[in-house]
Amino acid sequence: MAGALIVVDLQNDFTPGEPGGALAVPDGHAIVSRVNELARSERFELVVATRDWHPPDHSQFDEQGGSWPVHCVQATEGAELHPDLDRHVIDVILDKGQHSGSDGYSAFEDTSLAETLRARGVNSVTVVGLATDVCVLNTGRDALREGFHVTVDREGTRGIDLEAGDSERALQELRGLGATIT
Ligand code: VGL
Ligand code: ZN
């Protein structure tokens, strides 16, 4: 069984720090060492890092009537991968959320990820990254729908928790759909 690691949106705008990200996930930077450990482990056929990669007027932004502050605008510092993420072990960088009018929360939405994985013979994916209750959840759902075995590594993910418990509910939903939560 060939596996891929999908590192979701481990970007400056989603991590606290100096300067703080525009949509910093509490404790988001704390996952970097776990993500690097998994990515370096040689357990995975393929390591994919996704980037939320929005045009400046994306419909997700509150100034356009969406739900979030401006974040991860294409080719800005905030949209870069976190500096401590080990680039040497990333095989593919995949940009998502590029089209205004669709959220692009999932790494499978309007991207070639499913084809890329199948072309490498991948049938199982481990999902880590940010945020548990938004893009990890949506990526996990779509991976299951596409027929992949899905594992979510708790230590490698953190959530926004706009409502207390959102991240835990996201993990339980994925478990109910057939994912393994480790
Ligand atoms: C995300 C909110 C808006 C995420 C992306 O990566 O979880 N959350 N855009
Ligand atoms: Zn976004």
Side-chain angles (χ1 to χ4, degrees):
M1 197 154 87
L5 181 69
I6 304 180
V7 181
V8 175
D9 299 0
L10 189 38
Q11 291 162 275
N12 291 328
D13 268 345
F14 291 122
T15 42
E18 205 42 61
L23 180 39
V25 177
D27 221 22
H29 57 299
I31 68 171
V32 178
S33 59
R34 174 62 177 164
V35 171
N36 281 336
E37 175 183 282
L38 288 169
R40 291 169 182 152
S41 70
E42 297 186 1
R43 274 172 47 194
F44 301 100
E45 195 71 24
L46 193 71
V47 178
V48 178
T50 73
R51 295 188 300 194
D52 213 27
W53 199 252
H54 296 312
D57 60 348
H58 195 271
S59 51
Q60 248 186 35
F61 299 156
D62 45 22
E63 20 184 80
Q64 322 293 329
S67 325
W68 308 104
V70 174
H71 63 278
C72 296
V73 173
Q74 294 168 358
T76 61
E77 180 76 25
E80 290 307 313
L81 294 172
H82 189 282
D84 297 335
L85 179 62
D86 185 352
R87 302 295 196 285
H88 296 108
V89 287
I90 296 170
D91 299 304
V92 176
I93 293 177
L94 182 103
D95 295 332
K96 64 180 191 54
Q98 303 197 59
H99 307 293
S100 221
S102 85
D103 279 327
Y105 290 145
S106 162
F108 291 89
E109 191 181 325
D110 297 323
T111 71
S112 54
L113 182 56
E115 292 70 33
T116 302
L117 296 175
R118 288 196 187 101
R120 300 287 197 112
V122 167
N123 57 2
S124 97
V125 298
T126 295
V127 185
V128 292
L130 304 171
T132 317
D133 39 357
V134 186
C135 286
V136 169
L137 171 62
N138 283 272
T139 298
R141 275 187 192 137
D142 278 358
L144 289 161
R145 192 177 300 136
E146 292 281 352
F148 295 100
H149 296 276
V150 174
T151 298
V152 181
D153 182 272
R154 272 181 192 275
E155 212 184 315
T157 182
R158 290 290 186 283
I160 299 171
D161 288 322
L162 275 182
E163 302 265 348
D166 279 351
S167 296
E168 197 49 41
R169 280 189 289 277
L171 294 174
Q172 293 319 320
E173 177 186 329
L174 290 173
R175 191 201 301 276
L177 292 170
T180 302
I181 313 297
T182 58

